[in-house]
Amino acid sequence: MKKYISICVLLFSSFYAIGQTSQDRAKAFYQEAVRLFEKKDYSKVLEYCQRVTDELKTTNARIELLRIKSYYELGEIEETKRALSAFSDLPSELSLKQEALSYLNKIERSEKTMLEQEISLQRLLEVNRLEKEGKLTEEERRRKEAEAKSYQAAMSGNLTAIRQFLKDYPTHNERQHVLDVLANEEQRTYDNAILQDEIGGYENYLTLFNDGKHKNVVVKALYEARESEASDQVLRDNSVAGCEKYLEAYPTGKNKEAVLKLYAEILHKEGQQASSIKDYKKVEELYGKYKSIFPSGGHIKSAQMKYDEAIRKIKRAEVIASRSDKTYFMINYATNKSAGLEVGKLKISHNPSVYWGLNYGFTLPGFSSLEELESLDDYAGDGTLKAGFFTSSFGLTMNISYPLWGYAGIGVRYQTYEDGTDSYKIAGQNSWQFFPEFGLKGRIARSLILKAGIQLIKDKPAFQIGIGF
């Protein structure tokens, strides 16, 4: 008997220990769920609530309230409602009921707001639909009104309106009527152009009907009208430029021969005028054209002669234009047995230029300790007495006619007598003597300068020649 009692006590103690462990675990899970709620980890909260109910094999108001709050925060309204329904079936304290009620109120307000928003959206959609239908009706009315106005304008014969109508309403049932009006307008414009036979009428047709059925005829007529007008203008202008303008524009024009005849006469006439005023460039241009275009013309001999003359004059003018002033250095020789250098400038213009020269005799003069002789016959020395001198001159050079220049100047001569040892002078004679000189200078090609002149020295004039570069 004691044995059975001991077994029963042992089994009861085991069941009590197991029950006590489940309660502790459920409590620990709940506390963890509360802590996770505070950390806003709502999914984990719901997971731990489930573990609590799994341990307890049931639920209670606190667990369901925690579920209500977590589902609400996650935005799962339907789950929140189910949790509220489960909460309402459980006994609970007043504070828990009040807290659960607050969430119920939140859900109701939220659903009410959503409903109001839904209703508002439906109303807005309905208003937009009605406005759209009204707008479509108004647009249709305006479209028909615009179509009627466009058709009316097109039927009035206005070409712009006709073309705009055909562009805007390609399938209009009155399109053919409008095309007929367009064809009538084209025919009327064409008839007027032919009747007037003027450039303006043909240009007007092509402007209005550039792809019209009469285009080829009008283009030809316009060409002929313009050619006729250009021909008349040539006669009015009576100028080389007018003839050339016509011939360039209408190389096969019907009035070409008449214009060519006039062109030949004008070239000859203006060529003569240019020749009379010595405009040789113009002469070359005009008679060059005459020779080229009218090689068998009535004035060809005169044209050739005037042309050749103009070419010669032009070439001469070019040569003259290429000439330039020349600064030169020259070696001189005089018949009084002296030689020296000259420097100067030859100007192309007729303005004078300066030159300067220096010549020495073959025997050089002495400048100090001169012994005086009464005459050359009084010399009693052992040597041969020779005249020693130098001359220096300067003057002006002036262009006479290219390539010839004239020059005139004044010079000074210093002279003594030398025997190789001593220097002498003649009593009563001045060792210094002034003299005039003159002559010609010529230029050959661009660089070579030649000179020929005379120095009128008192004792004996000396002829002088020179070559310079």
mmCIF file with all atom_site columns, all heavy atoms in Angstrom, residues 341 355-360 390-394 410-414 432-435 437 455:
data_model
loop_
_atom_site.group_PDB
_atom_site.id
_atom_site.type_symbol
_atom_site.label_atom_id
_atom_site.label_alt_id
_atom_site.label_comp_id
_atom_site.label_asym_id
_atom_site.label_entity_id
_atom_site.label_seq_id
_atom_site.pdbx_PDB_ins_code
_atom_site.Cartn_x
_atom_site.Cartn_y
_atom_site.Cartn_z
_atom_site.occupancy
_atom_site.B_iso_or_equiv
_atom_site.pdbx_formal_charge
_atom_site.auth_seq_id
_atom_site.auth_comp_id
_atom_site.auth_asym_id
_atom_site.auth_atom_id
_atom_site.pdbx_PDB_model_num
ATOM 1   N N   . LEU A 1 341 ? 87.004 109.220 -107.628 1.00 0.00 ? 341 LEU A N   1
ATOM 2   C CA  . LEU A 1 341 ? 85.700 108.633 -107.327 1.00 0.00 ? 341 LEU A CA  1
ATOM 3   C C   . LEU A 1 341 ? 84.621 109.706 -107.287 1.00 0.00 ? 341 LEU A C   1
ATOM 4   O O   . LEU A 1 341 ? 84.903 110.868 -106.965 1.00 0.00 ? 341 LEU A O   1
ATOM 5   C CB  . LEU A 1 341 ? 85.730 107.909 -105.978 1.00 0.00 ? 341 LEU A CB  1
ATOM 6   C CG  . LEU A 1 341 ? 86.677 106.717 -105.854 1.00 0.00 ? 341 LEU A CG  1
ATOM 7   C CD1 . LEU A 1 341 ? 86.683 106.202 -104.422 1.00 0.00 ? 341 LEU A CD1 1
ATOM 8   C CD2 . LEU A 1 341 ? 86.279 105.611 -106.824 1.00 0.00 ? 341 LEU A CD2 1
ATOM 9   N N   . TYR A 1 355 ? 75.637 115.506 -106.310 1.00 0.00 ? 355 TYR A N   1
ATOM 10  C CA  . TYR A 1 355 ? 76.758 114.574 -106.476 1.00 0.00 ? 355 TYR A CA  1
ATOM 11  C C   . TYR A 1 355 ? 78.017 115.220 -105.907 1.00 0.00 ? 355 TYR A C   1
ATOM 12  O O   . TYR A 1 355 ? 78.120 116.447 -105.759 1.00 0.00 ? 355 TYR A O   1
ATOM 13  C CB  . TYR A 1 355 ? 76.967 114.200 -107.950 1.00 0.00 ? 355 TYR A CB  1
ATOM 14  C CG  . TYR A 1 355 ? 77.549 115.324 -108.789 1.00 0.00 ? 355 TYR A CG  1
ATOM 15  C CD1 . TYR A 1 355 ? 78.940 115.462 -108.920 1.00 0.00 ? 355 TYR A CD1 1
ATOM 16  C CD2 . TYR A 1 355 ? 76.728 116.246 -109.437 1.00 0.00 ? 355 TYR A CD2 1
ATOM 17  C CE1 . TYR A 1 355 ? 79.477 116.509 -109.673 1.00 0.00 ? 355 TYR A CE1 1
ATOM 18  C CE2 . TYR A 1 355 ? 77.253 117.276 -110.190 1.00 0.00 ? 355 TYR A CE2 1
ATOM 19  C CZ  . TYR A 1 355 ? 78.625 117.409 -110.303 1.00 0.00 ? 355 TYR A CZ  1
ATOM 20  O OH  . TYR A 1 355 ? 79.163 118.436 -111.041 1.00 0.00 ? 355 TYR A OH  1
ATOM 21  N N   . TRP A 1 356 ? 79.036 114.403 -105.625 1.00 0.00 ? 356 TRP A N   1
ATOM 22  C CA  . TRP A 1 356 ? 80.330 114.895 -105.137 1.00 0.00 ? 356 TRP A CA  1
ATOM 23  C C   . TRP A 1 356 ? 81.409 113.975 -105.665 1.00 0.00 ? 356 TRP A C   1
ATOM 24  O O   . TRP A 1 356 ? 81.256 112.752 -105.700 1.00 0.00 ? 356 TRP A O   1
ATOM 25  C CB  . TRP A 1 356 ? 80.367 114.903 -103.605 1.00 0.00 ? 356 TRP A CB  1
ATOM 26  C CG  . TRP A 1 356 ? 81.722 115.265 -103.054 1.00 0.00 ? 356 TRP A CG  1
ATOM 27  C CD1 . TRP A 1 356 ? 82.253 116.518 -102.921 1.00 0.00 ? 356 TRP A CD1 1
ATOM 28  C CD2 . TRP A 1 356 ? 82.720 114.361 -102.578 1.00 0.00 ? 356 TRP A CD2 1
ATOM 29  N NE1 . TRP A 1 356 ? 83.505 116.472 -102.396 1.00 0.00 ? 356 TRP A NE1 1
ATOM 30  C CE2 . TRP A 1 356 ? 83.833 115.140 -102.165 1.00 0.00 ? 356 TRP A CE2 1
ATOM 31  C CE3 . TRP A 1 356 ? 82.794 112.971 -102.464 1.00 0.00 ? 356 TRP A CE3 1
ATOM 32  C CZ2 . TRP A 1 356 ? 84.983 114.587 -101.646 1.00 0.00 ? 356 TRP A CZ2 1
ATOM 33  C CZ3 . TRP A 1 356 ? 83.951 112.420 -101.951 1.00 0.00 ? 356 TRP A CZ3 1
ATOM 34  C CH2 . TRP A 1 356 ? 85.032 113.222 -101.542 1.00 0.00 ? 356 TRP A CH2 1
ATOM 35  N N   . GLY A 1 357 ? 82.546 114.625 -106.138 1.00 0.00 ? 357 GLY A N   1
ATOM 36  C CA  . GLY A 1 357 ? 83.619 113.820 -106.682 1.00 0.00 ? 357 GLY A CA  1
ATOM 37  C C   . GLY A 1 357 ? 84.988 114.321 -106.226 1.00 0.00 ? 357 GLY A C   1
ATOM 38  O O   . GLY A 1 357 ? 85.156 115.483 -105.842 1.00 0.00 ? 357 GLY A O   1
ATOM 39  N N   . LEU A 1 358 ? 85.959 113.423 -106.300 1.00 0.00 ? 358 LEU A N   1
ATOM 40  C CA  . LEU A 1 358 ? 87.344 113.748 -105.900 1.00 0.00 ? 358 LEU A CA  1
ATOM 41  C C   . LEU A 1 358 ? 88.287 113.046 -106.860 1.00 0.00 ? 358 LEU A C   1
ATOM 42  O O   . LEU A 1 358 ? 88.226 111.820 -107.016 1.00 0.00 ? 358 LEU A O   1
ATOM 43  C CB  . LEU A 1 358 ? 87.590 113.285 -104.463 1.00 0.00 ? 358 LEU A CB  1
ATOM 44  C CG  . LEU A 1 358 ? 88.985 113.560 -103.905 1.00 0.00 ? 358 LEU A CG  1
ATOM 45  C CD1 . LEU A 1 358 ? 89.245 115.074 -103.802 1.00 0.00 ? 358 LEU A CD1 1
ATOM 46  C CD2 . LEU A 1 358 ? 89.139 112.889 -102.533 1.00 0.00 ? 358 LEU A CD2 1
ATOM 47  N N   . ASN A 1 359 ? 89.199 113.857 -107.518 1.00 0.00 ? 359 ASN A N   1
ATOM 48  C CA  . ASN A 1 359 ? 90.184 113.309 -108.451 1.00 0.00 ? 359 ASN A CA  1
ATOM 49  C C   . ASN A 1 359 ? 91.595 113.686 -107.997 1.00 0.00 ? 359 ASN A C   1
ATOM 50  O O   . ASN A 1 359 ? 91.837 114.800 -107.511 1.00 0.00 ? 359 ASN A O   1
ATOM 51  C CB  . ASN A 1 359 ? 89.981 113.866 -109.863 1.00 0.00 ? 359 ASN A CB  1
ATOM 52  C CG  . ASN A 1 359 ? 88.943 113.076 -110.626 1.00 0.00 ? 359 ASN A CG  1
ATOM 53  O OD1 . ASN A 1 359 ? 88.081 112.454 -110.030 1.00 0.00 ? 359 ASN A OD1 1
ATOM 54  N ND2 . ASN A 1 359 ? 89.023 113.121 -111.954 1.00 0.00 ? 359 ASN A ND2 1
ATOM 55  N N   . TYR A 1 360 ? 92.532 112.776 -108.184 1.00 0.00 ? 360 TYR A N   1
ATOM 56  C CA  . TYR A 1 360 ? 93.952 113.030 -107.928 1.00 0.00 ? 360 TYR A CA  1
ATOM 57  C C   . TYR A 1 360 ? 94.734 112.866 -109.225 1.00 0.00 ? 360 TYR A C   1
ATOM 58  O O   . TYR A 1 360 ? 94.454 111.940 -110.015 1.00 0.00 ? 360 TYR A O   1
ATOM 59  C CB  . TYR A 1 360 ? 94.498 112.070 -106.884 1.00 0.00 ? 360 TYR A CB  1
ATOM 60  C CG  . TYR A 1 360 ? 94.227 112.473 -105.468 1.00 0.00 ? 360 TYR A CG  1
ATOM 61  C CD1 . TYR A 1 360 ? 93.105 112.006 -104.800 1.00 0.00 ? 360 TYR A CD1 1
ATOM 62  C CD2 . TYR A 1 360 ? 95.102 113.331 -104.796 1.00 0.00 ? 360 TYR A CD2 1
ATOM 63  C CE1 . TYR A 1 360 ? 92.849 112.373 -103.487 1.00 0.00 ? 360 TYR A CE1 1
ATOM 64  C CE2 . TYR A 1 360 ? 94.857 113.706 -103.483 1.00 0.00 ? 360 TYR A CE2 1
ATOM 65  C CZ  . TYR A 1 360 ? 93.727 113.225 -102.833 1.00 0.00 ? 360 TYR A CZ  1
ATOM 66  O OH  . TYR A 1 360 ? 93.480 113.609 -101.538 1.00 0.00 ? 360 TYR A OH  1
ATOM 67  N N   . PHE A 1 390 ? 95.136 117.844 -107.169 1.00 0.00 ? 390 PHE A N   1
ATOM 68  C CA  . PHE A 1 390 ? 93.879 117.119 -106.961 1.00 0.00 ? 390 PHE A CA  1
ATOM 69  C C   . PHE A 1 390 ? 92.740 118.093 -107.190 1.00 0.00 ? 390 PHE A C   1
ATOM 70  O O   . PHE A 1 390 ? 92.917 119.322 -107.069 1.00 0.00 ? 390 PHE A O   1
ATOM 71  C CB  . PHE A 1 390 ? 93.805 116.501 -105.557 1.00 0.00 ? 390 PHE A CB  1
ATOM 72  C CG  . PHE A 1 390 ? 93.456 117.480 -104.478 1.00 0.00 ? 390 PHE A CG  1
ATOM 73  C CD1 . PHE A 1 390 ? 92.129 117.771 -104.180 1.00 0.00 ? 390 PHE A CD1 1
ATOM 74  C CD2 . PHE A 1 390 ? 94.463 118.130 -103.755 1.00 0.00 ? 390 PHE A CD2 1
ATOM 75  C CE1 . PHE A 1 390 ? 91.825 118.674 -103.188 1.00 0.00 ? 390 PHE A CE1 1
ATOM 76  C CE2 . PHE A 1 390 ? 94.148 119.022 -102.769 1.00 0.00 ? 390 PHE A CE2 1
ATOM 77  C CZ  . PHE A 1 390 ? 92.827 119.305 -102.452 1.00 0.00 ? 390 PHE A CZ  1
ATOM 78  N N   . THR A 1 391 ? 91.563 117.568 -107.539 1.00 0.00 ? 391 THR A N   1
ATOM 79  C CA  . THR A 1 391 ? 90.361 118.385 -107.708 1.00 0.00 ? 391 THR A CA  1
ATOM 80  C C   . THR A 1 391 ? 89.226 117.780 -106.899 1.00 0.00 ? 391 THR A C   1
ATOM 81  O O   . THR A 1 391 ? 89.124 116.554 -106.765 1.00 0.00 ? 391 THR A O   1
ATOM 82  C CB  . THR A 1 391 ? 89.931 118.454 -109.192 1.00 0.00 ? 391 THR A CB  1
ATOM 83  O OG1 . THR A 1 391 ? 89.630 117.147 -109.650 1.00 0.00 ? 391 THR A OG1 1
ATOM 84  C CG2 . THR A 1 391 ? 91.018 119.089 -110.047 1.00 0.00 ? 391 THR A CG2 1
ATOM 85  N N   . SER A 1 392 ? 88.387 118.639 -106.418 1.00 0.00 ? 392 SER A N   1
ATOM 86  C CA  . SER A 1 392 ? 87.167 118.210 -105.713 1.00 0.00 ? 392 SER A CA  1
ATOM 87  C C   . SER A 1 392 ? 86.014 119.041 -106.257 1.00 0.00 ? 392 SER A C   1
ATOM 88  O O   . SER A 1 392 ? 86.131 120.268 -106.380 1.00 0.00 ? 392 SER A O   1
ATOM 89  C CB  . SER A 1 392 ? 87.310 118.421 -104.208 1.00 0.00 ? 392 SER A CB  1
ATOM 90  O OG  . SER A 1 392 ? 86.093 118.056 -103.558 1.00 0.00 ? 392 SER A OG  1
ATOM 91  N N   . SER A 1 393 ? 84.915 118.388 -106.562 1.00 0.00 ? 393 SER A N   1
ATOM 92  C CA  . SER A 1 393 ? 83.779 119.114 -107.148 1.00 0.00 ? 393 SER A CA  1
ATOM 93  C C   . SER A 1 393 ? 82.467 118.551 -106.606 1.00 0.00 ? 393 SER A C   1
ATOM 94  O O   . SER A 1 393 ? 82.380 117.391 -106.193 1.00 0.00 ? 393 SER A O   1
ATOM 95  C CB  . SER A 1 393 ? 83.819 119.011 -108.676 1.00 0.00 ? 393 SER A CB  1
ATOM 96  O OG  . SER A 1 393 ? 83.760 117.638 -109.079 1.00 0.00 ? 393 SER A OG  1
ATOM 97  N N   . PHE A 1 394 ? 81.466 119.409 -106.655 1.00 0.00 ? 394 PHE A N   1
ATOM 98  C CA  . PHE A 1 394 ? 80.119 118.964 -106.316 1.00 0.00 ? 394 PHE A CA  1
ATOM 99  C C   . PHE A 1 394 ? 79.148 119.769 -107.165 1.00 0.00 ? 394 PHE A C   1
ATOM 100 O O   . PHE A 1 394 ? 79.482 120.870 -107.667 1.00 0.00 ? 394 PHE A O   1
ATOM 101 C CB  . PHE A 1 394 ? 79.820 119.135 -104.829 1.00 0.00 ? 394 PHE A CB  1
ATOM 102 C CG  . PHE A 1 394 ? 79.580 120.562 -104.421 1.00 0.00 ? 394 PHE A CG  1
ATOM 103 C CD1 . PHE A 1 394 ? 78.302 121.083 -104.356 1.00 0.00 ? 394 PHE A CD1 1
ATOM 104 C CD2 . PHE A 1 394 ? 80.652 121.394 -104.115 1.00 0.00 ? 394 PHE A CD2 1
ATOM 105 C CE1 . PHE A 1 394 ? 78.092 122.399 -103.983 1.00 0.00 ? 394 PHE A CE1 1
ATOM 106 C CE2 . PHE A 1 394 ? 80.445 122.700 -103.735 1.00 0.00 ? 394 PHE A CE2 1
ATOM 107 C CZ  . PHE A 1 394 ? 79.156 123.218 -103.666 1.00 0.00 ? 394 PHE A CZ  1
ATOM 108 N N   . ILE A 1 410 ? 80.489 122.931 -109.586 1.00 0.00 ? 410 ILE A N   1
ATOM 109 C CA  . ILE A 1 410 ? 81.671 123.762 -109.394 1.00 0.00 ? 410 ILE A CA  1
ATOM 110 C C   . ILE A 1 410 ? 82.715 122.941 -108.660 1.00 0.00 ? 410 ILE A C   1
ATOM 111 O O   . ILE A 1 410 ? 82.385 122.107 -107.802 1.00 0.00 ? 410 ILE A O   1
ATOM 112 C CB  . ILE A 1 410 ? 81.331 125.051 -108.617 1.00 0.00 ? 410 ILE A CB  1
ATOM 113 C CG1 . ILE A 1 410 ? 82.541 125.993 -108.593 1.00 0.00 ? 410 ILE A CG1 1
ATOM 114 C CG2 . ILE A 1 410 ? 80.849 124.728 -107.209 1.00 0.00 ? 410 ILE A CG2 1
ATOM 115 C CD1 . ILE A 1 410 ? 82.206 127.383 -108.076 1.00 0.00 ? 410 ILE A CD1 1
ATOM 116 N N   . GLY A 1 411 ? 84.016 123.177 -109.032 1.00 0.00 ? 411 GLY A N   1
ATOM 117 C CA  . GLY A 1 411 ? 85.086 122.416 -108.417 1.00 0.00 ? 411 GLY A CA  1
ATOM 118 C C   . GLY A 1 411 ? 86.229 123.317 -107.974 1.00 0.00 ? 411 GLY A C   1
ATOM 119 O O   . GLY A 1 411 ? 86.299 124.489 -108.318 1.00 0.00 ? 411 GLY A O   1
ATOM 120 N N   . VAL A 1 412 ? 87.118 122.758 -107.193 1.00 0.00 ? 412 VAL A N   1
ATOM 121 C CA  . VAL A 1 412 ? 88.311 123.466 -106.746 1.00 0.00 ? 412 VAL A CA  1
ATOM 122 C C   . VAL A 1 412 ? 89.521 122.588 -107.050 1.00 0.00 ? 412 VAL A C   1
ATOM 123 O O   . VAL A 1 412 ? 89.458 121.361 -106.892 1.00 0.00 ? 412 VAL A O   1
ATOM 124 C CB  . VAL A 1 412 ? 88.222 123.806 -105.240 1.00 0.00 ? 412 VAL A CB  1
ATOM 125 C CG1 . VAL A 1 412 ? 88.099 122.544 -104.402 1.00 0.00 ? 412 VAL A CG1 1
ATOM 126 C CG2 . VAL A 1 412 ? 89.430 124.626 -104.803 1.00 0.00 ? 412 VAL A CG2 1
ATOM 127 N N   . ARG A 1 413 ? 90.625 123.259 -107.532 1.00 0.00 ? 413 ARG A N   1
ATOM 128 C CA  . ARG A 1 413 ? 91.828 122.503 -107.917 1.00 0.00 ? 413 ARG A CA  1
ATOM 129 C C   . ARG A 1 413 ? 93.004 123.047 -107.095 1.00 0.00 ? 413 ARG A C   1
ATOM 130 O O   . ARG A 1 413 ? 93.210 124.261 -107.004 1.00 0.00 ? 413 ARG A O   1
ATOM 131 C CB  . ARG A 1 413 ? 92.086 122.667 -109.405 1.00 0.00 ? 413 ARG A CB  1
ATOM 132 C CG  . ARG A 1 413 ? 93.420 122.108 -109.908 1.00 0.00 ? 413 ARG A CG  1
ATOM 133 C CD  . ARG A 1 413 ? 93.577 122.509 -111.372 1.00 0.00 ? 413 ARG A CD  1
ATOM 134 N NE  . ARG A 1 413 ? 94.908 122.204 -111.879 1.00 0.00 ? 413 ARG A NE  1
ATOM 135 C CZ  . ARG A 1 413 ? 95.219 121.194 -112.679 1.00 0.00 ? 413 ARG A CZ  1
ATOM 136 N NH1 . ARG A 1 413 ? 94.265 120.357 -113.049 1.00 0.00 ? 413 ARG A NH1 1
ATOM 137 N NH2 . ARG A 1 413 ? 96.451 121.012 -113.121 1.00 0.00 ? 413 ARG A NH2 1
ATOM 138 N N   . TYR A 1 414 ? 93.770 122.160 -106.567 1.00 0.00 ? 414 TYR A N   1
ATOM 139 C CA  . TYR A 1 414 ? 95.006 122.525 -105.858 1.00 0.00 ? 414 TYR A CA  1
ATOM 140 C C   . TYR A 1 414 ? 96.159 121.897 -106.617 1.00 0.00 ? 414 TYR A C   1
ATOM 141 O O   . TYR A 1 414 ? 96.176 120.684 -106.843 1.00 0.00 ? 414 TYR A O   1
ATOM 142 C CB  . TYR A 1 414 ? 94.965 122.017 -104.421 1.00 0.00 ? 414 TYR A CB  1
ATOM 143 C CG  . TYR A 1 414 ? 96.244 122.264 -103.661 1.00 0.00 ? 414 TYR A CG  1
ATOM 144 C CD1 . TYR A 1 414 ? 96.562 123.545 -103.197 1.00 0.00 ? 414 TYR A CD1 1
ATOM 145 C CD2 . TYR A 1 414 ? 97.139 121.223 -103.422 1.00 0.00 ? 414 TYR A CD2 1
ATOM 146 C CE1 . TYR A 1 414 ? 97.737 123.772 -102.497 1.00 0.00 ? 414 TYR A CE1 1
ATOM 147 C CE2 . TYR A 1 414 ? 98.313 121.441 -102.720 1.00 0.00 ? 414 TYR A CE2 1
ATOM 148 C CZ  . TYR A 1 414 ? 98.606 122.716 -102.260 1.00 0.00 ? 414 TYR A CZ  1
ATOM 149 O OH  . TYR A 1 414 ? 99.780 122.957 -101.583 1.00 0.00 ? 414 TYR A OH  1
ATOM 150 N N   . TRP A 1 432 ? 95.499 127.400 -105.487 1.00 0.00 ? 432 TRP A N   1
ATOM 151 C CA  . TRP A 1 432 ? 94.094 127.010 -105.458 1.00 0.00 ? 432 TRP A CA  1
ATOM 152 C C   . TRP A 1 432 ? 93.355 127.696 -106.599 1.00 0.00 ? 432 TRP A C   1
ATOM 153 O O   . TRP A 1 432 ? 93.524 128.883 -106.822 1.00 0.00 ? 432 TRP A O   1
ATOM 154 C CB  . TRP A 1 432 ? 93.428 127.408 -104.133 1.00 0.00 ? 432 TRP A CB  1
ATOM 155 C CG  . TRP A 1 432 ? 93.999 126.674 -102.965 1.00 0.00 ? 432 TRP A CG  1
ATOM 156 C CD1 . TRP A 1 432 ? 95.025 127.068 -102.174 1.00 0.00 ? 432 TRP A CD1 1
ATOM 157 C CD2 . TRP A 1 432 ? 93.555 125.429 -102.484 1.00 0.00 ? 432 TRP A CD2 1
ATOM 158 N NE1 . TRP A 1 432 ? 95.284 126.146 -101.198 1.00 0.00 ? 432 TRP A NE1 1
ATOM 159 C CE2 . TRP A 1 432 ? 94.365 125.098 -101.363 1.00 0.00 ? 432 TRP A CE2 1
ATOM 160 C CE3 . TRP A 1 432 ? 92.575 124.520 -102.861 1.00 0.00 ? 432 TRP A CE3 1
ATOM 161 C CZ2 . TRP A 1 432 ? 94.227 123.931 -100.643 1.00 0.00 ? 432 TRP A CZ2 1
ATOM 162 C CZ3 . TRP A 1 432 ? 92.427 123.359 -102.130 1.00 0.00 ? 432 TRP A CZ3 1
ATOM 163 C CH2 . TRP A 1 432 ? 93.242 123.062 -101.039 1.00 0.00 ? 432 TRP A CH2 1
ATOM 164 N N   . GLN A 1 433 ? 92.493 126.957 -107.291 1.00 0.00 ? 433 GLN A N   1
ATOM 165 C CA  . GLN A 1 433 ? 91.764 127.505 -108.439 1.00 0.00 ? 433 GLN A CA  1
ATOM 166 C C   . GLN A 1 433 ? 90.355 126.895 -108.491 1.00 0.00 ? 433 GLN A C   1
ATOM 167 O O   . GLN A 1 433 ? 90.205 125.676 -108.368 1.00 0.00 ? 433 GLN A O   1
ATOM 168 C CB  . GLN A 1 433 ? 92.516 127.183 -109.731 1.00 0.00 ? 433 GLN A CB  1
ATOM 169 C CG  . GLN A 1 433 ? 91.844 127.719 -110.981 1.00 0.00 ? 433 GLN A CG  1
ATOM 170 C CD  . GLN A 1 433 ? 92.545 127.285 -112.236 1.00 0.00 ? 433 GLN A CD  1
ATOM 171 O OE1 . GLN A 1 433 ? 91.960 127.217 -113.313 1.00 0.00 ? 433 GLN A OE1 1
ATOM 172 N NE2 . GLN A 1 433 ? 93.840 126.973 -112.158 1.00 0.00 ? 433 GLN A NE2 1
ATOM 173 N N   . PHE A 1 434 ? 89.338 127.746 -108.657 1.00 0.00 ? 434 PHE A N   1
ATOM 174 C CA  . PHE A 1 434 ? 87.959 127.279 -108.801 1.00 0.00 ? 434 PHE A CA  1
ATOM 175 C C   . PHE A 1 434 ? 87.611 127.174 -110.272 1.00 0.00 ? 434 PHE A C   1
ATOM 176 O O   . PHE A 1 434 ? 88.094 127.986 -111.095 1.00 0.00 ? 434 PHE A O   1
ATOM 177 C CB  . PHE A 1 434 ? 86.989 128.241 -108.114 1.00 0.00 ? 434 PHE A CB  1
ATOM 178 C CG  . PHE A 1 434 ? 87.094 128.224 -106.623 1.00 0.00 ? 434 PHE A CG  1
ATOM 179 C CD1 . PHE A 1 434 ? 87.919 129.139 -105.964 1.00 0.00 ? 434 PHE A CD1 1
ATOM 180 C CD2 . PHE A 1 434 ? 86.400 127.287 -105.869 1.00 0.00 ? 434 PHE A CD2 1
ATOM 181 C CE1 . PHE A 1 434 ? 88.035 129.115 -104.586 1.00 0.00 ? 434 PHE A CE1 1
ATOM 182 C CE2 . PHE A 1 434 ? 86.509 127.265 -104.498 1.00 0.00 ? 434 PHE A CE2 1
ATOM 183 C CZ  . PHE A 1 434 ? 87.327 128.171 -103.842 1.00 0.00 ? 434 PHE A CZ  1
ATOM 184 N N   . PHE A 1 435 ? 86.738 126.212 -110.600 1.00 0.00 ? 435 PHE A N   1
ATOM 185 C CA  . PHE A 1 435 ? 86.378 126.018 -112.004 1.00 0.00 ? 435 PHE A CA  1
ATOM 186 C C   . PHE A 1 435 ? 84.961 125.445 -112.098 1.00 0.00 ? 435 PHE A C   1
ATOM 187 O O   . PHE A 1 435 ? 84.503 124.764 -111.189 1.00 0.00 ? 435 PHE A O   1
ATOM 188 C CB  . PHE A 1 435 ? 87.375 125.068 -112.685 1.00 0.00 ? 435 PHE A CB  1
ATOM 189 C CG  . PHE A 1 435 ? 87.390 123.693 -112.078 1.00 0.00 ? 435 PHE A CG  1
ATOM 190 C CD1 . PHE A 1 435 ? 86.520 122.698 -112.526 1.00 0.00 ? 435 PHE A CD1 1
ATOM 191 C CD2 . PHE A 1 435 ? 88.283 123.382 -111.037 1.00 0.00 ? 435 PHE A CD2 1
ATOM 192 C CE1 . PHE A 1 435 ? 86.543 121.432 -111.956 1.00 0.00 ? 435 PHE A CE1 1
ATOM 193 C CE2 . PHE A 1 435 ? 88.296 122.120 -110.470 1.00 0.00 ? 435 PHE A CE2 1
ATOM 194 C CZ  . PHE A 1 435 ? 87.427 121.144 -110.916 1.00 0.00 ? 435 PHE A CZ  1
ATOM 195 N N   . GLU A 1 437 ? 82.063 122.934 -114.105 1.00 0.00 ? 437 GLU A N   1
ATOM 196 C CA  . GLU A 1 437 ? 82.051 121.688 -114.884 1.00 0.00 ? 437 GLU A CA  1
ATOM 197 C C   . GLU A 1 437 ? 80.624 121.354 -115.264 1.00 0.00 ? 437 GLU A C   1
ATOM 198 O O   . GLU A 1 437 ? 79.667 121.756 -114.590 1.00 0.00 ? 437 GLU A O   1
ATOM 199 C CB  . GLU A 1 437 ? 82.678 120.539 -114.083 1.00 0.00 ? 437 GLU A CB  1
ATOM 200 C CG  . GLU A 1 437 ? 81.889 120.100 -112.872 1.00 0.00 ? 437 GLU A CG  1
ATOM 201 C CD  . GLU A 1 437 ? 82.518 118.899 -112.178 1.00 0.00 ? 437 GLU A CD  1
ATOM 202 O OE1 . GLU A 1 437 ? 83.658 118.540 -112.493 1.00 0.00 ? 437 GLU A OE1 1
ATOM 203 O OE2 . GLU A 1 437 ? 81.822 118.305 -111.299 1.00 0.00 ? 437 GLU A OE2 1
ATOM 204 N N   . GLN A 1 455 ? 85.660 119.764 -117.458 1.00 0.00 ? 455 GLN A N   1
ATOM 205 C CA  . GLN A 1 455 ? 86.022 120.656 -116.367 1.00 0.00 ? 455 GLN A CA  1
ATOM 206 C C   . GLN A 1 455 ? 86.759 121.850 -116.991 1.00 0.00 ? 455 GLN A C   1
ATOM 207 O O   . GLN A 1 455 ? 87.817 121.695 -117.604 1.00 0.00 ? 455 GLN A O   1
ATOM 208 C CB  . GLN A 1 455 ? 86.920 119.943 -115.349 1.00 0.00 ? 455 GLN A CB  1
ATOM 209 C CG  . GLN A 1 455 ? 86.235 118.817 -114.610 1.00 0.00 ? 455 GLN A CG  1
ATOM 210 C CD  . GLN A 1 455 ? 87.163 118.081 -113.663 1.00 0.00 ? 455 GLN A CD  1
ATOM 211 O OE1 . GLN A 1 455 ? 88.380 117.983 -113.938 1.00 0.00 ? 455 GLN A OE1 1
ATOM 212 N NE2 . GLN A 1 455 ? 86.613 117.555 -112.570 1.00 0.00 ? 455 GLN A NE2 1
#
